[in-house]
Each structure stands twice: as structure tokens, then as C-alpha cells.
Amino acid sequence: MIDKKIITVRGEGLTIEEVASVASGSMIHLTDDEKVWQKIQASHDTVIQAVKENQPIYGVTTNFGGMANLTVSKEKAIELQHNL
């Protein structure tokens, strides 16, 4: 049985056991490390810019698998991510 505890997500260093624990319902805590949050913000900004410019990014501005050649509209990109 996996011990349920609070797992801190820091952008690196998660063990397989911690990932399994989260998949089994453990709570997560996003790090308070400002450097990690700056990286998160930079990633977010990159995705937002790609959506605005209709840049193809698999599973973000395109569909999946055999339909990956089909793009997703700007309006549907957020819905696609929520549906994942």
C-alpha cells in the first residue's frame, strides 16, 4: 500500500514512489521557490504565445494520434487542455 502524504512538486527530483503516491490520491504542494515559479511562468507564456500565433504544438494546438495533423482553434485550445 502506498503511503498518502503531501508531495512537494519542485520541477525535478520526483521519485517513482512519489508519482505513484500522487496517482493514488496524495495531495501535492507546489514549491514556494521563486526560481521554479519563474520557469513555470516562462513555460506558460510560451504556450500562450504559441496559441496566439497558431504554432503547431502536439496536444496543445493540434489534436492527438492519427488526428495530430489537425489544428485546434485558439478558442478550443483551452477546452482541449481542460479535457485532458
Side-chain angles (χ1 to χ4, degrees), residues 40-74:
I40 292 169
Q41 185 63 52
S43 295
H44 173 266
D45 294 346
T46 297
V47 170
I48 294 300
Q49 192 64 34
V51 170
K52 286 180 182 177
E53 296 176 0
N54 292 320
Q55 294 177 5
I57 299 176
Y58 181 81
V60 176
T61 58
T62 73
N63 284 293
F64 302 89
M67 296 176 59
N69 61 324
L70 300 175
T71 59
V72 177
S73 70
K74 293 176 194 178

Side-chain angles (χ1 to χ4, degrees), residues 15-60:
T15 66
I16 291 173
E17 291 78 16
E18 288 172 324
V19 172
S21 181
V22 170
S24 296
S26 287
M27 300 293 292
I28 64 165
H29 168 75
L30 296 178
T31 184
D32 297 324
D33 184 333
E34 184 62 31
K35 289 181 182 179
V36 173
W37 278 100
Q38 289 171 358
K39 290 178 183 179
I40 292 169
Q41 185 63 52
S43 295
H44 173 266
D45 294 346
T46 297
V47 170
I48 294 300
Q49 192 64 34
V51 170
K52 286 180 182 177
E53 296 176 0
N54 292 320
Q55 294 177 5
I57 299 176
Y58 181 81
V60 176

